[in-house]
Every structure is written in structure tokens, then in C-alpha cells.
């Protein structure tokens, strides 16, 4: 019963994704999301929802055949996928966790004489591609800063547009990836300030993705590093007040457990990429970024292509990380 409901919805989404009129998207996004509610997340094949097979683009058999046929650098990852790395990229030197600040929307729209909504629409397309590319290259975690605790200071129309846009993005693309591609998904940030509808969309999709084992995509939404550290301190202070924790037992690991990124056993970002030419972190993952390598691209995010991601990864592979120690 689930299959007959889901397949037509999937084809609607594919055909609409080539449509560049962003206003047409919202209705089909909702349709796919509603189908989540028809599926029973408790009923799994292995560790995946039982709808996985009907979306799987390549069977495991053909994946393995592709691997054995290939003469290029092919790796089989722990999801049994064939990973083909372009250029000089080496699988053992890939960052596990990539963090991304997407910037340059206002300038992109201004350069083209278009309203800001066009930049956000284009940016969403690039973000989809980036998620697929990171997954394709075998990145384990991708955290993207899409809305900061300070972004409420933008014009109300833009904020409303963005929040609706993000909700649609979660209901369509992210839902589709979770159903078909084993993507894990979490939102980090102060969710209490988001609309009820957004909060319930986030919790349904997070819940549905809980048992997936593929790349973990974290969306930093209404996120601020200072907010996160302040909240963690409050939680620790409460534990001390209640006698659950002694002040002398507070250490870095105890503190990290209270951070929003403590959603799974998540390593800190190895690489931060910021597009748009600004050389700052803008309140993003302040604690977690202590030893991240920074890569700043002058490209505006709406122009950021696969080749730019490859260049960022390649730059990361040329770095020497010492973590305060001596060169080996
Ligand atoms: C469709 C889509 C994914 C759109 C996202 C658009 C958007 C609001 C991006 C902002 C991302 C962000 C928090 C950048 C941080 O710099 P900042 O500009 O908040 O801070 P700054 O003033 O220090 O540069």
C-alpha cells in the first residue's frame, strides 16, 4: 500500500526540481512530507525504513559490479557504496566532518539585479547539490549554517521567506533523501523560536531519519555559538545545583555533552568552508571549531560548484594538522 502511494509523489518531485519558478514548489513539497505520515518508521528492513528499496536508484548488486569493473580509484564505503574520488583526492585524508557557512546571497542578487528571493532559491539548488556531492565523496557529517540567532535582524519579509523556504526544503528534498538514500538528519539551534508547524516538521523528519546510517546532515537553524555555550553552562549549573554533578567534575567532555552537537557520537568539524569572501566565523560552532581547518572561498554560494568543493577538500588534504603537538 505504501509503495503505490509513494511512487507517484517521487516522480512529481523529480519533475518539479527542474522548474525554476520557486513559488511552484511549496505544494509538492508538502505532498511528499505528508507521505511520511503514511509510513511506519518502526517497521524496518535492516536499519532502514521498509520503503527504502522502492527509491533505491542502484541495486547493491550493480553497485558491486560497478566497483569491480572500475579502473579508477574506487572505494567501497561502510554503506557498501562505490566512492569515486575526483582529481588527487585521497579517501584516507578526507575530512570526516565538514562545516559550511553559506554566504553571499545579497551580493549575488544585487549583481544580477534580481530580488533576494532568487538568490535564496538558487542557493537552495546549490545546497542540494552540495549535500549529494559530500555524500558521493564519502563525507560522514555535513553541518550547514542556514540561519543564525542574529539573522532575525534581517527584513521581516526576507526572514519569513527564508523560514518557509527551509520548511519546504526539509519537507521535500531532505525527506526524499531520508527515504531513499539513508541520510541522517538533525537540526541544531533554538527551535523554540520557530513556528509550531516548523517544529513539528523538524521533529517528524528527525524521528524518521533516526535509524538511518548514511551521511549525517545537520542544519544549523536559529543557531548561535554563544547561545549554545550559554545554554550548556545553564544545564551544567542546574545539575550542580541539584547535586547531580560536582563542580570539580566538570571537564571538557562533560561540557561537550551539553552542546547541541551532542546528537550522536559526532566528531568536531575538520574543515570549515565559508563562501562569499568574508573571513570570519559569525558565531558558528565556536566551541567545536577549535581545531578546524578554515577554507574561505570568494565565490558567492549561489555560484559554488562541485569543482569548488573539490578544491576546498584538496586544500584540506594539503594541510598539516598538529593539534598543538609537533610535526610528525
Ligand atoms: C536557501 C538558503 C539555504 C538560504 C540561506 C540564506 C542565509 C540566511 C544564509 C545565512 C547563513 C549564515 C548564518 C551566514 C553567517 O553570516 P551572517 O551573514 O549571518 O553574518 P555576518 O553579518 O557576520 O556576515
Amino acid at each position: 500500500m505504501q509503495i503505490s502511494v509513494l511512487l507517484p509523489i517521487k516522480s512529481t518531485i523529480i519533475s518539479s526540481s527542474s522548474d525554476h519558478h520557486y513559488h511552484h514548489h511549496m505544494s509538492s513539497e508538502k505532498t511528499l512530507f505528508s507521505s511520511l505520515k503514511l509510513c511506519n518508521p518502526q517497521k524496518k528492513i535492516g536499519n532502514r525504513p521498509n520503503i527504502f528499496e522502492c527509491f533505491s536508484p542502484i541495486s547493491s548488486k550493480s553497485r558491486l559490479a560497478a566497483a569491480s569493473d572500475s579502473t579508477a580509484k574506487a572505494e567501497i564505503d561502510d554503506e557498501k557504496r562505490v566512492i569515486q574520488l575526483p582529481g588527487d583526492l585521497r579517501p584516507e585524508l578526507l575530512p570526516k566532518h565538514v562545516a559550511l557557512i553559506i554566504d553571499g546571497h545579497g551580493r549575488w542578487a544585487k549583481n544580477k539585479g534580481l530580488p533576494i528571493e532568487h538568490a535564496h532559491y538558487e542557493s537552495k539548488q546549490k545546497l542540494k547539490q552540495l549535500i549529494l556531492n559530500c555524500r558521493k565523496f564519502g563525507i560522514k557529517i555535513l553541518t550547514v549554517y542556514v540561519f543564525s540567532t542574529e539573522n532575525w535582524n534581517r527584513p521581516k519579509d526576507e526572514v519569513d521567506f527564508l523560514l518557509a523556504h527551509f520548511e519546504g526544503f526539509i519537507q521535500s528534498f531532505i525527506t526524499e533523501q531520508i527515504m531513499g538514500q539513508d541520510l541522517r538528519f538533525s537540526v541544531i539551534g533554538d527551535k523554540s523560536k520557530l513556528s509550531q508547524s516548523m517544529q513539528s516538521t523538524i521533529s517528524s523528519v528527525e524521528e524518521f531519519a533516526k535509524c538511518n546510517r548514511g551521511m549525517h546532515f545537520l542544519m544549523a537553524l536559529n543557531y548561535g555559538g554563544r547561545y549554545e555555550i550559554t545554554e550548556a553552562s545553564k544545564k551544567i549549573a542546574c545539575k550542580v545545583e541539584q547535586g547531580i554533578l560536582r563542580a570539580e567534575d566538570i571537564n571538557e567532555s562533560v561540557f561537550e555533552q551539553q552542546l547541541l552537537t551532542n546528537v550522536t557520537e559526532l566528531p568536531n568539524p575538520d574543515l570549515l568552508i565559508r563562501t562569499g569572501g568574508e573571513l570570519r566565523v559569525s558565531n558558528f560552532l565556536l566551541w567545536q571549531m577549535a581545531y578546524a581547518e578554515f577554507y574561505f572561498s570568494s565565490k558567492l554560494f549561489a555560484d559554488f560548484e562541485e569543482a569548488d568543493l573539490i578544491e576546498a577538500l584538496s586544500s584540506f588534504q594539503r594541510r598539516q594538522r598538529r593539534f598543538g603537538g609537533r610535526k610528525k
Side-chain angles (χ1 to χ4, degrees), residues 19 83 92 95 140 147 162 189 220 240 245 247 261 268 286 301 311 325:
D19 177 1
I83 305 282
E92 73 280 11
K140 304 283 180 229
F147 194 87
L162 276 171
V240 173
L245 183 68
T261 41
N268 286 325
L286 297 180
F301 187 65
E311 182 43 45

Side-chain angles (χ1 to χ4, degrees), residues 1-2 5-6 9 33-41 208:
M1 186 181 82
Q2 288 164 353
V5 173
L6 288 167
I9 294 167
F33 175 68
S34 344
S35 70
L36 260 193
K37 296 179 181 151
L38 295 172
C39 305
N40 176 4
F208 199 77

Side-chain angles (χ1 to χ4, degrees), residues 101-102 105 120 145-146 151 154 162 165 274 280 282:
I101 300 179
I102 52 182
H105 302 81
H120 293 325
Y145 201 14
V146 297
N151 287 148
R154 295 187 177 200
L162 276 171
H165 214 51
R274 180 171 184 145
R280 53 180 178 252
S282 301

Side-chain angles (χ1 to χ4, degrees), residues 139-152:
I139 304 293
K140 304 283 180 229
I141 303 151
L142 172 68
T143 304
V144 180
Y145 201 14
V146 297
F147 194 87
S148 76
T149 43
E150 288 71 40
N151 287 148
W152 297 100

